[in-house]
């Protein structure tokens, strides 16, 4: 098989996998909406790069070994990016939960202070 066709097919498959994985991770609440949108755009960009000839003209200049090395490195980079996004999303969600708990504690504190003022006024 021609190396350029192999690279273009790999880009399209990679884009589809990125989009499907992002949708799944967002569905199970591992990735926040903003990061999921960015990953979906990257998936669309990979698909367009593989499909549109103007974007994939560079594929004809690569050797088979170079293409394999690029895909291995690309897969490692994408995997690392997903791991980083999952960690960032988890921190963001924990931060939101913490903010809600602090808000509830502040409300409870205000109630206690009002009750304390009523008690001290009565005495």
């Amino acid at each position: 098989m021609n190396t350029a066709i192999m690279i273009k097919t790999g880009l399209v498959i990679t884009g589809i996998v990125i989009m499907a994985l992002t949708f799944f991770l967002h569905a199970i609440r591992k990735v926040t909406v903003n990061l999921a949108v960015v990953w979906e755009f990257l998936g669309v960009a990979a698909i367009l790069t593989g499909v549109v000839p103007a974007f994939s003209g560079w594929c004809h200049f690569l050797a088979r070994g170079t293409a394999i090395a690029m895909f291995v490195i690309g897969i490692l980079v994408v995997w690392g990016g997903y791991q980083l996004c999952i960690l960032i999303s988890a921190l963001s969600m924990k931060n939101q939960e913490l903010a809600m708990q602090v808000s509830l504690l502040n409300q409870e504190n205000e109630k206690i202070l009002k009750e304390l003022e009523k008690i001290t006024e009565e005495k």
Side-chain angles (χ1 to χ4, degrees):
M1 183 184 333
N2 189 1
T3 305
I5 294 171
M6 202 170 69
I7 294 171
K8 290 177 184 182
T9 305
L11 282 169
V12 171
I13 292 171
T14 301
I16 291 169
V17 168
I18 287 173
M19 292 178 71
L21 183 62
T22 302
F23 183 77
F24 175 73
L25 288 175
H26 177 63
I28 61 172
R29 297 185 180 262
K30 291 274 188 181
V31 176
T32 59
V33 174
N34 297 337
L35 293 174
V37 169
V38 171
W39 279 105
E40 292 292 334
F41 279 133
L42 288 174
V44 169
I47 292 171
L48 287 176
T49 302
V51 172
V52 178
F55 297 149
S56 60
W58 55 270
C59 295
H60 298 284
F61 301 113
L62 296 177
R64 185 177 297 253
T66 306
I68 292 170
M70 283 178 57
F71 273 115
V72 169
I73 291 171
I75 287 170
L76 292 175
V77 168
V78 168
W79 180 77
Y82 268 116
Q83 294 299 318
L84 184 63
C85 285
I86 289 171
L87 290 174
I88 291 171
S89 295
L91 287 174
S92 175
M93 289 178 203
K94 286 179 183 179
N95 191 22
Q96 288 176 347
E97 290 175 11
L98 184 61
M100 287 188 285
Q101 289 176 354
V102 167
S103 175
L104 290 172
L105 285 173
N106 282 338
Q107 287 177 351
E108 188 175 338
N109 189 25
E110 287 177 13
K111 277 185 184 178
I112 291 172
L113 286 175
K114 285 180 183 177
E115 288 180 18
L116 185 62
E117 285 178 7
K118 286 181 184 177
I119 292 173
T120 54
E121 287 177 3
E122 291 175 2
K123 290 185 179 184

